[in-house]
């Protein structure tokens, strides 16, 4: 997934062609932010259901692995990190509206490592961000 984030053609080229350049092509910064809320199911009822999200410890392990891999594959000085499980105010300019869900198939040995742990999300360990208004958790972002 880290490689896909860096190589996905999401920016225009110099002559206006859309979907032509990647993070690597434009030498952009990358802001990694854990976004567990994307795992919400709204199939039943009127409240989002986060039971599909990894438990807190497993979610942190997966996020840290992803962040380290992005740094490994790119210029680590250009890769910034959000604060895991924190409410953050992220300032950015959204060039869209576009939302892209990236789906990949992890290596088989990665999946077997996940299956060996039987951690189920609970209210105590789910990757639900606490209410945090600390200004140190505000991260500016530039394209």
């Amino acid at each position: 997934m880290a490689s896909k984030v860096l190589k996905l053609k999401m920016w225009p080229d110099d002559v206006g062609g859309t979907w032509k350049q990647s993070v690597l092509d434009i030498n952009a910064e990358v802001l990694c932010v854990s976004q567990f809320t994307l795992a919400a199911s709204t199939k039943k009822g009127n409240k989002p259901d986060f039971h599909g999200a990894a438990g807190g410890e497993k979610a942190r392990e997966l996020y840290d692995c992803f962040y380290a891999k992005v740094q490994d594959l790119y210029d680590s000085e250009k890769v910034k990190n959000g604060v895991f499980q924190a409410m953050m105010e992220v300032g950015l300019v959204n060039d869209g509206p576009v939302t892209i869900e990236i789906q990949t198939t992890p290596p088989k040995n990665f999946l077997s490592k996940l299956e060996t742990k039987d951690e189920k999300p609970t209210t105590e360990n789910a990757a639900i961000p606490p209410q945090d208004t600390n200004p140190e958790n505000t991260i500016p972002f530039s394209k």
Side-chain angles (χ1 to χ4, degrees):
M1 184 177 292
S3 177
K4 178 72 81 173
V5 165
L6 296 171
K7 294 178 182 177
L8 194 62
K9 306 283 186 184
M10 297 186 289
W11 285 270
D13 61 17
D14 295 335
V15 294
T18 56
W19 310 104
K20 299 291 185 180
Q21 296 190 94
S22 69
V23 167
L24 298 172
D25 297 329
I26 64 173
N27 204 26
E29 289 185 312
V30 176
L31 175 61
C32 298
V33 177
S34 169
Q35 185 70 22
F36 92 99
T37 55
L38 295 178
S41 172
T42 57
K43 288 183 180 180
K44 297 190 304 185
N46 295 319
K47 291 172 62 175
D49 177 355
F50 297 104
H51 287 92
E57 188 174 316
K58 176 51 67 184
R60 179 179 297 277
E61 182 181 329
L62 291 169
Y63 174 76
D64 288 344
C65 178
F66 171 77
Y67 177 66
K69 191 67 173 175
V70 174
Q71 285 187 305
D72 207 34
L73 294 173
Y74 193 48
D75 177 357
S76 61
E77 293 294 316
K78 292 189 175 203
V79 181
K80 309 300 181 201
N81 194 5
V83 179
F84 189 82
Q85 287 187 321
M87 290 292 286
M88 293 179 288
E89 293 182 18
V90 178
L92 62 94
V93 175
N94 190 1
D95 188 11
V98 174
T99 300
I100 298 171
E101 180 180 348
I102 299 174
Q103 298 178 353
T104 62
T105 303
K108 288 183 181 181
N109 62 345
F110 185 76
L111 287 176
S112 63
K113 288 178 188 177
L114 292 178
E115 291 169 357
T116 60
K117 294 197 175 181
D118 193 23
E119 181 184 349
K120 301 285 185 208
T122 66
T123 305
E124 291 79 35
N125 72 2
I128 299 172
Q131 295 297 319
D132 184 354
T133 57
N134 184 342
E136 290 180 18
N137 294 338
T138 302
I139 301 171
F141 174 78
S142 62
K143 191 173 179 183

